[in-house]
Amino acid sequence: MQPNDLERIAQQIRRRDLQAVFEAGAGHIGGEMSAIDILTALYFRVLRLWPDQPKNPDRDRFVLSKGHTACALYVTLAKRGFLPEDEIATFLKPHSRLNGHPNCNKVPGVETNTGPLGHGLPVAVGMAKAAKLQGASWRTYVMTGDGEMQEGSNWEAIMAAAQFGLGNLTLIVDHNRFQQGAALSDTNDLAPIRPKLEAFGWDVSEINGNAMSEVVPALERRGARPHCIVAHTNKGHGISFMQDRVDWHHKVPNAEQYKIAMAELAEDLR
Amino acid sequence: MSETMNSPKLNDCRDAFTATLERLAESDDRIVAVCNDSVGSSKLGGFKAKWPERLINVGIAEQNMVGVGAGLANGGLLPFVCGAAPFLTGRALEQIKADIAYSNANVKLVGISSGMAYGELGPTHHSIEDFAWMRVLPNLPVIAPCDAIETAAAVEWAARYPGPVFLRLSRVGVPDLLSQGHRFELGRANLLRGGHDVTLIANGTLTHRMMKAAEILAGQGIEARVLNMATVRPIDVEAIVSAARETGAILTAEEHSTFGGLGSAIAEVVVAEAPVPMKILGVPGVFAPTGSAEFLLDEFGMAPAEVADAARTLINRKAARAA
């Protein structure tokens, strides 16, 4: 699938995600909009997957460590055929399997339960280590938020991945520069991220994480060492009034804002 | 508790753990061991010598160790994640909750040197909270074997069981109590001694102390039932209810805080199903003073003679209630 096809799919996922958050009256729209281009590239181009066999042992693994952006993952999984697209309407409803953070025992395509931050990368290191030990060719991808990198467990895993020589592991840091309460730079500023990962023995790429032409080649890069993609993104990407505004971490648009946002996302489909 | 020349041979259950693990790993190449710089204290030296690539040492990083375990299981392997119990359970509690229990990852967590095995090192190194922390987590059987035989049987069972397990081991020597060839059954207590006057229930390093207390009581004409209850969750409701109904009093002892452990789990059943006088022996909600595990267990009223005293007090309460 070519970059412009992927861009079209990403916009469709954005629209469905926005609708789901609007209808549910809750969600994490800002960090979903920043991550959707990368999710689209993964699920529609990079990952080797069999939606009808979600546990196929040869599948590539993807872990959404920033589990609070589950809705974007659900929409992507549904569009890729892992679950019925109309099930997205149940997001956050009583007894829906689509709760605010992904559950691997209920939702096909989810690999491990995330929600508390700093969990996905250690699990991904274990996955990549398992593949390497067994001589298997499947690869492991994991996406964290940039604020999430403040969790110490990530740095334990970063050390281990380098020590184990996990060239089959890709970490994507969704570097949208905002965490829940404030800008990263006003909280616990770990930017620039690149030299820190390099110092820990990783290969690092820096890209515009909202530009498909940069996202795809970065995800397809192969090397002997674990690879970190520092994806510079915009929180709320694609919706002008949300972009780079910290309050849109988990704010829900009102009816008028919803209309404006939908119109902006439609315009981009041209 | 003083040992005499006639004392039976004491075994370090870690040896039974690693011998069994190595035997299973011979024929099951999914088995890997994961540790936190604890190759020696987890007795994994032999495993490492045989399969250096299957011994995954993440360094001193328990959160990562547990997450890595979950990932290895996702990738089709069968990880035994081993570390000193206080750090495995305390430092990595949220990983155990989210990555292992909630994700239902097929990971075997092995808490080594649990209880007050590191007695002299002080409360930072005591693991007398782990039953409480682990047993509130759904999907996670909690097991504390009483001897080397039960340890080996539980390891073998855990390898076959298709889900997470927390195995709590000590390094303090214990005599064999179960018979060779014993098969472990989850949630099933073992009757070690019959009796109708009172029931003594324990697991781990306390079971053999209960047996000694029962011998003391027998010398005083009191027939105590002794149950070894290795599984703290799921608790053996049937054995507890029978003990309450048939003996009318229950005394528990554990190398753990009296808050939230084996005694608490038993009390939850007793209160709901068959209320009878009961007492929970353990560490009474304090940070322990300096001393060996054996010293501290005596210190906290779990020397066999004191256990026997506590049992007689309970029997008197039972009699007073009946009167």
Side-chain angles (χ1 to χ4, degrees):
Chain A
M1 201 168 281
Q2 295 309 303
N4 49 355
D5 297 319
L6 294 171
E7 282 165 14
R8 201 184 64 249
I9 293 170
Q11 285 305 78
Q12 290 164 353
I13 292 173
R14 279 197 167 83
R15 287 170 60 84
R16 189 65 193 88
D17 182 87
L18 173 68
Q19 183 192 342
V21 170
F22 175 68
E23 288 173 355
H28 287 85
I29 191 83
E32 283 161 6
M33 294 298 143
S34 66
I36 280 172
D37 298 300
I38 294 158
L39 289 175
T40 303
L42 282 166
Y43 279 90
F44 289 86
R45 160 109 181 196
V46 176
L47 298 177
R48 185 173 50 165
L49 298 164
W50 295 269
D52 55 335
Q53 306 164 47
K55 298 283 185 196
N56 185 310
D58 295 326
R59 71 196 184 277
D60 287 335
R61 268 66 166 180
F62 171 69
V63 175
L64 182 69
S65 193
K66 42 177 285 185
H68 54 284
T69 58
C71 190
L73 179 64
Y74 299 149
V75 173
T76 307
L77 287 172
K79 199 156 184 63
R80 188 70 173 82
F82 282 88
L83 57 151
E85 289 199 66
D86 57 10
E87 195 178 333
I88 298 300
T90 72
F91 176 59
L92 305 185
K93 294 242 161 66
H95 288 294
S96 169
R97 58 180 173 168
L98 307 181
N99 77 26
H101 297 89
N103 183 329
C104 64
N105 294 309
K106 291 185 176 172
V107 184
V110 174
E111 296 288 353
T112 185
N113 295 353
T114 53
L117 298 173
H119 283 244
L121 182 53
V123 176
V125 167
M127 291 169 172
K129 178 72 174 168
K132 191 172 177 177
L133 271 176
Q134 297 171 97
S137 62
W138 53 268
R139 301 182 58 83
T140 302
Y141 298 82
V142 52
M143 188 196 286
T144 65
D146 51 3
E148 182 181 359
M149 296 306 285
Q150 293 159 354
E151 290 281 6
S153 52
N154 286 318
W155 299 93
E156 295 183 1
I158 286 165
M159 284 187 277
Q163 178 74 21
F164 297 157
L166 300 179
N168 57 354
L169 174 67
T170 301
L171 159 66
I172 306 127
V173 180
D174 182 7
H175 193 10
N176 63 28
R177 292 164 283 113
F178 291 90
Q179 47 198 101
Q180 177 175 275
L184 188 76
S185 59
D186 292 333
T187 308
N188 191 346
D189 191 6
L190 41 71
I193 296 168
R194 177 179 203 138
K196 297 178 177 68
L197 267 294
E198 285 176 341
F200 277 75
W202 285 53
D203 287 335
V204 182
S205 310
E206 252 178 301
I207 62 163
N208 176 346
N210 296 126
M212 209 54 88
S213 59
E214 295 187 33
V215 170
V216 170
L219 290 172
E220 290 179 341
R221 176 172 158 173
R222 301 285 179 268
R225 299 198 290 179
H227 178 209
C228 173
I229 300 171
V230 179
H232 294 272
T233 58
N234 301 309
K235 203 149 187 172
H237 185 82
I239 302 168
S240 57
F241 60 88
M242 290 186 189
Q243 195 155 308
D244 292 351
R245 294 281 307 276
V246 67
D247 47 340
W248 283 100
H249 176 82
H250 54 208
K251 198 171 147 179
V252 178
N254 62 30
E256 193 187 341
Q257 289 166 327
Y258 176 66
K259 234 167 87 181
I260 295 167
M262 272 299 188
E264 289 188 8
L265 292 174
E267 213 173 298
D268 282 354
L269 279 173
R270 69 188 177 275
Chain B
M1 191 171 53
S2 65
E3 299 299 337
T4 70
M5 292 297 284
N6 301 325
S7 294
K9 180 176 177 288
L10 301 182
N11 299 309
D12 180 338
C13 291
R14 293 178 300 171
D15 293 322
F17 160 61
T18 47
T20 309
L21 188 67
E22 287 178 34
R23 184 168 53 72
L24 295 171
E26 293 280 356
S27 58
D28 187 345
D29 56 15
R30 297 173 306 149
I31 291 180
V32 293
V34 188
C35 71
N36 54 342
D37 194 28
S38 59
V39 174
S41 58
S42 298
K43 297 255 184 182
L44 290 168
F47 189 100
K48 186 182 178 186
K50 285 182 186 158
W51 305 284
E53 72 291 349
R54 288 162 69 183
L55 187 282
I56 299 161
N57 186 348
V58 300
I60 306 164
E62 290 75 23
Q63 299 179 67
N64 187 47
M65 173 172 69
V66 172
V68 164
L72 290 165
N74 175 287
L77 297 176
L78 183 52
F80 280 73
V81 174
C82 311
F87 315 129
L88 171 67
T89 62
R91 180 67 71 95
L93 181 55
E94 190 184 75
Q95 277 74 17
I96 294 174
K97 174 185 169 186
D99 309 352
I100 307 293
Y102 180 39
S103 294
N104 206 21
N106 190 13
V107 173
K108 316 307 168 185
L109 301 165
V110 185
I112 305 281
S113 307
S114 61
M116 296 178 294
Y118 286 131
E120 298 89 339
L121 301 188
T124 55
H125 284 56
H126 297 167
S127 195
I128 57 169
E129 307 87 2
D130 51 15
F131 283 153
W133 292 341
M134 296 296 104
R135 84 177 180 93
V136 294
L137 300 176
N139 294 344
L140 184 67
V142 176
I143 300 163
C146 70
D147 66 4
I149 293 167
E150 189 172 31
T151 301
V155 171
E156 202 161 327
W157 172 87
R160 285 196 312 271
Y161 177 77
V165 173
F166 174 62
L167 206 55
R168 185 195 205 238
L169 304 182
S170 181
R171 61 161 66 205
V172 175
V174 285
D176 283 344
L177 296 169
L178 299 171
S179 44
Q180 292 293 341
H182 170 78
R183 284 179 70 85
F184 179 81
E185 275 187 81
L186 182 69
R188 181 63 61 90
N190 317 114
L191 178 68
L192 296 186
R193 189 181 173 113
H196 284 85
D197 296 325
V198 60
T199 301
L200 314 181
I201 309 179
N203 61 21
T205 56
L206 265 300
T207 303
H208 79 98
R209 285 172 175 255
M210 289 304 218
M211 288 298 281
K212 288 192 171 171
E215 283 168 29
I216 295 170
L217 290 167
Q220 298 160 350
I222 295 169
E223 289 307 322
R225 178 179 300 186
V226 180
L227 293 176
N228 172 53
M229 197 166 280
T231 310
V232 175
R233 181 172 178 172
I235 199 80
D236 188 344
V237 173
E238 198 183 320
I240 295 167
V241 171
S242 298
R245 294 200 175 128
E246 292 162 19
T247 72
I250 294 177
L251 177 64
T252 70
E254 60 202 292
E255 195 174 334
H256 188 275
S257 169
T258 53
F259 293 80
L262 174 69
S264 298
I266 292 167
E268 287 159 15
V269 176
V270 168
V271 166
E273 304 290 339
V276 292
M278 195 184 155
K279 182 161 179 70
I280 298 170
L281 297 175
V283 181
V286 298
F287 291 115
T290 305
S292 69
E294 301 284 9
F295 166 81
L296 291 170
L297 291 175
D298 290 353
E299 179 85 356
F300 290 120
M302 290 178 277
E306 286 191 73
V307 172
D309 288 345
R312 279 194 306 275
T313 305
L314 264 188
I315 292 167
N316 291 340
R317 275 178 58 200
K318 176 173 82 165
R321 237 165 62 118

